[in-house]
């Protein structure tokens, strides 16, 4: 039986790409942004503070 790449990914601890807050599993309220082909997650506070930048598709390193 082959491992599902998606299932493997969900086992990885999720951390906020901006402030580093860790979460168990994938918080439904967190924002997921795809940058350079990889997923980045942002916690509630960071997503709210940077919603324009996320929607504008600016790389997070610009913040
Ligand atoms: Zn955060």
């Amino acid at each position: 039986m082959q491992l599902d790449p998606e299932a493997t990914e969900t086992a990885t601890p999720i951390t906020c790409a901006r402030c580093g807050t860790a979460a168990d599993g994938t918080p439904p309220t967190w924002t997921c942004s795809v940058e350079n082909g990889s997923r980045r997650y942002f916690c509630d506070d960071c997503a709210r503070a940077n919603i324009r930048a996320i929607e504008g598709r600016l790389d997070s390193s610009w913040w």
Side-chain angles (χ1 to χ4, degrees):
M1 207 177 202
Q2 276 192 317
L3 283 176
D4 184 351
E6 291 291 329
T8 305
E9 190 171 348
T10 55
T12 304
I14 303 295
T15 55
C16 175
R18 186 166 181 265
C19 72
T21 296
D24 292 325
T26 305
T29 57
W30 282 30
T31 299
C32 178
S33 173
V34 179
E35 296 176 8
N36 301 321
S38 61
R39 294 184 199 175
R40 295 186 184 192
Y41 292 89
F42 300 96
C43 69
D44 264 348
D45 290 341
C46 291
R48 197 174 301 128
N50 298 282
I51 189 66
R52 288 185 192 172
I54 294 171
E55 290 184 341
R57 295 250 169 221
L58 291 178
D59 191 279
S60 58
S61 62
W62 287 33
W63 299 348

